[in-house]
Amino acid sequence: MSERQRADRQLGAVVPADGTAHAAVPKQREPGEVVAELDDLAVWFPTPAGVVRAVDGVSLRVRRGETLGLVGESGSGKSTTGLALLRLVDPTSGTVRVGGEDVTRWSRRRLRALRRRVAMVFQDPQASLDPRLTIGASIAEPLIVHRLTDGGAARRRRVGELLDMVGLRGELADRHPHELSGGQRQRVGIARALAGEPDLIVLDEPIASLDLSVQAQIMNLLRRLQRDLGLTYLFIAHDLAAVEHMSDRMAVMYLGRIVESGTPAQIWRDPAHPYTAALLSAVPVADPQVERERRRIILSGDIPSPVDPPGGCRFRTRCPQARPECAETDPVLAEVDPDHRAACLFAKEAVRAMRSA
Amino acid sequence: MKPVLAVEDLTVTIGTRRGPAHAVAGVDWAVQPGETLALVGESGSGKSMSVLAATGLAPRTARVTGRVHLLGTELTGLGQDRRRRLRGRHIGFVFQDPMTSLNPVLTVGRQVTEAAEEHLGLTRRAARSRAVELLEMVGIPSAGQRVDAYPHQFSGGMRQRVVIAMALACEPDLLIADEPTTALDVTTQAQIVELVADLQRRLGTAVVWITHDLGVVAGIADTVAVMYAGRILEQGPVDAVFGTPSHPYTEALLAARPDPAAGGAELVTIAGAPPSPLDLPAGCAFWPRCPVRGDARCEHELPPLVPVSAGHQVRTFYPQPTDGERR
């Protein structure tokens, strides 16, 4: 790695190995139709300690054929946002639209149809597969529920096809989950999600409990399937490098809100929100020289309780650049560059100040 | 300089219903005073088990062979009691989940100094002020009040700070940190990594840090040992191992992480899965997955650890070229 690349990497910049401009990367596509949309979504949970505002005003759109990445730490509301798209949690306010239809108040009966159109892959494939069912039976379940195949023979054929798509041998259909490795089980989870030919797949921390070499296998598989089948993903993870790698556009969440959104290149190279900049500087890089030379922005304290979020800007209690105005105004997500938004009164300026501090 | 902890030819075999599992199959490492040794590997590589066995904490069903020296004293021949006293006096432990180390019904103050009371003979009163001092040292705000709080009143990151205070209570010569930041958020992880590095500078404690995260290793380690299927495949100074990885496994691991500088290219993967500890291959354990793929010798003969540069060793018949930068 050249000195220049090291320096850029330290700043979180994106420079391809051959040194050419980043614009050459084939990540831009024509914007497709909107597959799913959240508009000012709030999901609040009553608890003995008070009302937990897990999601508190999130708007986003997922377009056909793209991957929207959602990154955040625990308690940011990223998983609850994903669950809301399948109506697996009930919105407190706001709307959920899938394929142009408002599904916010759909009945339980109608939701069955929704869950064919939006599928989900969970973090722990061990927990999401029934240990008593064979792999084949698990994958066949959505085919039966949604009446997608006629008869046992067609179903078996389709299960074989799905196993092949995720890179598993057909004879695994007769095995049970405990006989498979973690990576194989996650492939089964993906095959199940593909069974209904969904419009959108919500991937909730799909690689978090896997070993490093297996994580790479699963990320490559997901990208290949997307290319071959034109799939649309909402990729939810706490791993910033993985979200950067997988996404066409990404959003950073903090305490129930989106604080910044843009392309991975914009966010990696030029974060506008102080929280994003702190998050980027906290991600360890597997290069001892970079690690020794870099200056970390260490945030003090912990994420505040979602029962009682701070007034004004939610990040101000931990923000190294918080100013008096931040306690008074709740900043909206505003454009800082084309297609790049941040919810900070001092977007960019605060990041520059933090980095030169 | 005498190492703080040194293991030689350590093996750990665990009896299971399906036969003996070779969790650790012959490992040598040493950590020098004030230095950080990182043991890195994927799950099942034996990195935790080798440390637990070295410190006498292996499960009862495990058979441990080899030699272990703590500050020059051979531990293997000692009785349980004497070994426990030495361990308590000289080694502090921090595990992945702070709640496994904390008792939910005792105040953190009592717990932080429990060991110090036993091993250093502190009185209750002295112990309490020592607890406040320790909690301050690990960055717990208003430690004077928090000393009487219970673990559930702390966040995950703060609990891990309490455990670190507990581990440092006896001023140990060695801190063993087993995936201490894996359960934490990345901004909290950065806080804990910074804290341990700072305490190490101030107290001169040696650290053995067990992790699967190569980024963390790059930030904390002086020396690193990469483990696979119960053996060390590569070890040496952190700059040498990361700068010129000489084992195909190390190289593949480093390439498997998405790198924002690579502009979204296909990730390098390692085909297949590690061998079962019930059935380790006779030759190189990585051979079935190896992209270099050597020859019949790799399949049948265990490659020795050979030096490639000063202090940098690699277990392969075919070390990767180490001239110049390749990454």
Side-chain angles (χ1 to χ4, degrees):
Chain A
M1 188 183 295
S2 71
E3 284 307 310
R4 164 79 205 287
Q5 272 171 277
R6 263 188 218 287
D8 280 334
R9 209 158 138 184
Q10 194 178 350
L11 293 169
V14 182
V15 177
D18 58 0
T20 55
H22 189 73
V25 177
K27 266 198 173 174
Q28 270 107 21
R29 286 198 201 100
E30 286 302 305
E33 64 177 297
V34 174
V35 172
E37 188 174 7
L38 298 175
D39 189 18
D40 203 19
L41 178 82
V43 183
W44 296 1
F45 299 108
T47 71
V51 175
V52 171
R53 302 176 177 200
V55 179
D56 204 16
V58 163
S59 302
L60 58 81
R61 282 173 174 190
V62 196
R63 293 177 187 283
R64 186 164 304 282
E66 76 167 357
T67 299
L68 174 65
L70 212 50
V71 67
E73 298 185 283
S74 37
S76 63
K78 59 188 191 302
S79 287
T80 310
T81 302
L83 293 174
L85 276 170
L86 280 84
R87 284 280 321 276
L88 286 171
V89 292
D90 284 320
T92 308
S93 65
T95 50
V96 181
R97 254 184 231 101
V98 173
E101 283 183 275
D102 185 342
V103 303
T104 322
R105 303 275 166 244
W106 273 18
S107 68
R108 207 169 246 245
R109 262 175 69 96
R110 294 186 75 187
L111 283 180
R112 189 173 279 186
L114 174 69
R115 283 171 199 157
R116 186 190 152 193
R117 284 154 65 182
V118 186
M120 187 145 184
V121 175
F122 296 92
Q123 170 173 352
D124 185 356
Q126 172 84 46
S128 55
L129 293 175
D130 187 332
R132 292 161 309 174
L133 289 188
T134 63
I135 297 308
S138 272
I139 297 175
E141 208 171 47
L143 299 175
I144 298 167
V145 170
H146 301 303
R147 299 196 186 92
L148 298 175
T149 47
D150 301 320
R155 199 145 58 226
R156 269 192 298 280
R157 213 165 35 242
R158 178 74 177 137
V159 167
E161 246 172 61
L162 287 162
L163 282 171
D164 186 51
M165 274 192 224
V166 298
L168 292 176
R169 283 171 289 118
E171 64 255 35
L172 287 183
D174 300 323
R175 305 274 183 83
H176 285 83
H178 75 269
E179 297 173 272
L180 272 57
S181 69
Q184 287 175 323
R185 280 195 292 260
Q186 195 56 296
R187 287 173 192 263
V188 173
I190 295 167
R192 246 173 88 91
L194 292 174
E197 299 179 23
D199 295 320
L200 171 67
I201 302 180
V202 175
L203 302 152
D204 188 7
E205 297 276 13
I207 59 165
S209 55
L210 303 174
D211 267 323
L212 190 58
S213 65
V214 185
Q215 288 187 350
Q217 292 174 8
I218 296 294
M219 284 192 274
N220 282 350
L221 171 69
L222 287 169
R223 282 173 43 129
R224 185 169 57 70
L225 289 170
Q226 180 170 49
R227 220 171 30 238
D228 295 350
L229 305 173
L231 301 175
T232 308
Y233 293 147
L234 180 69
F235 185 86
I236 302 171
H238 70 282
D239 181 338
L240 209 70
V243 172
E244 196 279 343
H245 177 74
M246 291 293 293
S247 309
D248 300 295
R249 291 186 303 126
M250 61 185 280
V252 181
M253 288 190 71
Y254 184 79
L255 209 57
R257 292 268 177 85
I258 291 174
V259 295
E260 181 160 1
S261 67
T263 64
Q266 283 167 333
I267 287 185
W268 201 268
R269 189 169 35 200
D270 195 17
H273 195 287
Y275 175 65
T276 312
L279 203 56
L280 281 168
S281 95
V283 177
V285 177
D287 184 329
Q289 217 168 313
V290 169
E291 284 291 314
R292 263 194 298 273
E293 287 160 10
R294 79 198 237 150
R295 297 216 327 253
R296 276 224 162 79
I297 303 162
I298 302 272
L299 295 178
S300 57
D302 299 302
I303 190 163
S305 161
V307 172
D308 186 22
C313 171
R314 299 185 167 213
F315 183 57
R316 74 181 161 85
T317 53
R318 300 176 75 199
C319 182
Q321 287 291 318
R323 296 161 204 189
E325 298 93 306
C326 301
E328 278 143 39
T329 313
D330 188 358
V332 294
L333 202 56
E335 193 152 84
V336 289
D337 286 314
D339 296 323
H340 183 187
R341 295 178 170 77
C344 174
L345 293 178
F346 305 97
K348 288 200 169 185
E349 182 196 330
V351 172
R352 270 196 301 274
M354 263 163 80
R355 286 183 164 174
S356 59
Chain B
M1 212 167 11
K2 216 185 279 170
V4 180
L5 186 67
V7 308
E8 267 173 75
D9 200 19
L10 185 77
T11 75
V12 183
T13 313
I14 299 169
T16 75
R17 272 180 302 163
R18 290 186 290 153
H22 302 280
V24 180
V27 156
D28 295 76
W29 50 253
V31 57
Q32 305 297 334
E35 177 198 87
T36 299
L37 165 70
L39 292 177
V40 64
E42 299 186 274
S43 38
S45 60
K47 55 193 192 300
S48 286
M49 190 54 76
S50 73
V51 176
L52 291 177
T55 52
L57 294 174
R60 255 169 233 212
T61 53
R63 204 168 62 84
V64 180
T65 70
R67 286 166 305 283
V68 179
H69 286 88
L70 175 62
L71 298 159
T73 308
E74 161 105 48
L75 287 186
T76 6
L78 295 179
Q80 276 288 342
D81 270 5
R82 176 117 169 77
R83 201 160 65 175
R84 198 179 77 87
R85 263 200 305 282
L86 277 174
R87 182 172 69 220
R89 179 66 194 81
H90 298 291
I91 308 178
F93 290 87
V94 180
F95 294 103
Q96 175 171 339
D97 178 0
M99 282 318 279
T100 58
S101 314
L102 293 170
N103 183 335
V105 299
L106 289 181
T107 65
V108 301
R110 288 281 300 126
Q111 299 186 62
V112 163
T113 51
E114 202 178 15
E117 283 174 45
E118 177 176 341
H119 295 290
L120 306 178
L122 292 186
T123 63
R124 271 289 181 94
R125 181 186 290 261
R128 193 189 143 87
S129 60
R130 175 81 179 130
V132 175
E133 214 177 279
L134 285 163
L135 292 176
E136 265 166 10
M137 184 174 78
V138 296
I140 304 255
S142 38
Q145 282 112 55
R146 301 289 271 163
V147 69
D148 296 318
Y150 292 88
H152 75 266
Q153 295 169 305
F154 290 78
S155 69
M158 286 294 158
R159 278 182 205 150
Q160 201 58 299
R161 286 176 192 262
V162 171
V163 174
I164 292 170
M166 212 160 107
L168 296 175
C170 291
E171 297 173 356
D173 300 281
L174 173 65
L175 183 70
I176 287 175
D178 189 353
E179 301 270 9
T181 61
T182 304
L184 303 174
D185 276 321
V186 59
T187 55
T188 314
Q189 167 172 285
Q191 293 172 357
I192 297 292
V193 166
E194 197 87 346
L195 171 69
V196 173
D198 176 54
L199 292 172
Q200 187 175 27
R201 271 192 301 273
R202 280 156 55 192
L203 310 173
T205 318
V207 177
V208 173
W209 192 301
I210 302 161
T211 181
H212 68 282
D213 188 328
L214 293 163
V216 170
V217 175
I220 53 124
D222 298 301
T223 58
V224 54
V226 181
M227 288 191 67
Y228 183 83
R231 289 200 177 89
I232 291 172
L233 293 191
E234 180 157 7
Q235 67 183 346
V238 69
D239 285 302
V241 172
F242 279 71
T244 52
S246 303
H247 196 288
Y249 177 64
T250 314
E251 199 177 17
L253 270 188
L254 283 166
R257 273 300 289 162
D259 180 356
E266 180 98 342
L267 299 172
V268 175
T269 62
I270 307 170
S276 159
L278 294 167
D279 186 22
L280 288 186
C284 172
F286 187 59
W287 180 77
R289 305 175 74 190
C290 184
V292 176
R293 214 69 218 279
D295 49 30
R297 202 167 155 216
C298 300
E299 188 183 359
H300 299 296
E301 206 181 310
L302 179 69
L305 265 178
V306 293
V308 285
S309 64
H312 184 183
Q313 296 171 298
V314 55
R315 187 184 292 284
T316 171
F317 292 119
Y318 301 99
Q320 299 300 290
T322 55
D323 37 19
E325 293 235 332
R326 287 165 308 115
R327 277 203 308 122

